[in-house]
Amino acid sequence: MKKLYLPFLIAFAIFFTGCGNEEEAATVIKSSSDFKELKKQTNKTYTLMTTKNEKIVLTVENDILTSQDLKDKVVLINFWATWCPPCIKEMPTLTKLQDKYKDDFVIIGVLYEKNKDLKELEAFMNKYKMNFPVTISEEENFRMAKNFDDVKKIPESFLYGKDGKFLEKYVGLINEESLETHIKNSLK
């Protein structure tokens, strides 16, 4: 009987004492670079800084965009770069629609470019009369692109209705007629 009792007692002690205290386990998890990367990837809230040093905070989860900054607006999130010919080609369409629907529609230009000189970017924006915010938070922009269906081809844009629900994904040049139809329908 004593032989059966001893292994049971040892197993019981190991099970309830574990491999250290909770504080040690938490420290190991918190300091793990893999955990930090996983936490970053699962975080669906983005804090974006614009060329005008303004902050845009938005969350996209389950195809719904929420943001105090963008509340009650149709939102187009446009991933683009200054070196991209199709991106340049669609700028007149974007600025035209931004101007036409300025009270109910906003474009967030997410710069998909590393180490871009701010003065060069501002010159580009002036040349193409860009009338919408452009985000320059490099790390956050690329994290957002990764989480947004792993953006690799630009321009790539995601349209959300006034209610925050995902409406359309555009890969390549945006079709002006399609985008305007979505804007009008979302505003009804």
Side-chain angles (χ1 to χ4, degrees):
M1 179 78 172
K2 284 185 180 183
K3 288 181 184 178
L4 289 175
Y5 182 70
L6 188 58
F8 176 77
L9 185 59
I10 291 171
F12 181 81
I14 290 172
F15 179 77
F16 283 102
T17 58
C19 298
N21 64 31
E22 286 180 33
E23 193 174 297
E24 287 173 326
T27 302
V28 170
I29 290 172
K30 284 180 187 173
S31 66
S32 164
S33 62
D34 290 341
F35 179 74
K36 286 178 184 173
E37 188 58 34
L38 179 63
K39 188 175 178 183
K40 206 183 248 189
Q41 289 173 3
T42 58
N43 180 5
K44 305 296 183 194
T45 298
Y46 308 94
T47 303
L48 306 168
M49 291 302 294
T50 70
T51 54
K52 294 183 178 179
N53 209 28
E54 295 170 344
K55 194 183 293 188
I56 300 171
V57 179
L58 59 93
T59 301
V60 178
E61 197 160 19
N62 300 320
D63 286 338
I64 296 175
L65 181 143
T66 53
S67 172
Q68 286 301 112
D69 304 317
L70 308 169
K71 197 171 184 175
D72 296 324
K73 301 243 185 214
V74 177
V75 177
L76 181 73
I77 297 175
N78 175 255
F79 293 91
W80 70 285
T82 59
W83 49 261
C84 164
C87 299
I88 295 167
K89 191 173 182 180
E90 77 179 359
M91 284 305 157
T93 298
L94 297 179
T95 57
K96 175 183 169 186
L97 292 173
Q98 176 65 66
D99 192 46
K100 187 173 182 177
Y101 296 99
K102 61 183 166 225
D103 294 330
D104 300 301
F105 173 62
V106 66
I107 298 167
I108 307 296
V110 180
L111 186 63
Y112 192 73
E113 197 167 338
K114 293 190 178 202
N115 304 315
K116 186 67 183 171
D117 180 75
L118 191 54
K119 287 185 182 185
E120 281 181 31
L121 177 58
E122 288 171 348
F124 180 93
M125 292 172 65
N126 289 332
K127 179 178 180 180
Y128 293 99
K129 299 174 178 51
M130 294 173 68
N131 56 356
F132 51 87
V134 172
T135 66
I136 54 171
S137 339
E138 191 174 299
E139 186 177 320
E140 197 73 340
N141 286 4
F142 279 85
R143 181 176 76 87
M144 189 173 172
K146 177 79 175 155
N147 290 343
F148 268 59
D149 208 18
D150 202 13
V151 170
K152 287 195 172 97
K153 297 177 183 176
I154 55 172
E156 193 163 327
S157 302
F158 298 81
L159 183 66
Y160 294 87
K162 208 172 177 176
D163 58 2
K165 292 181 182 172
F166 175 75
L167 297 175
E168 186 74 42
K169 176 181 175 179
Y170 299 91
V171 178
L173 283 172
I174 284 182
N175 178 297
E176 181 178 348
E177 191 177 305
S178 170
L179 177 56
E180 188 163 20
T181 298
H182 279 299
I183 293 168
K184 286 178 181 177
N185 289 339
S186 188
L187 296 176
K188 289 180 182 177

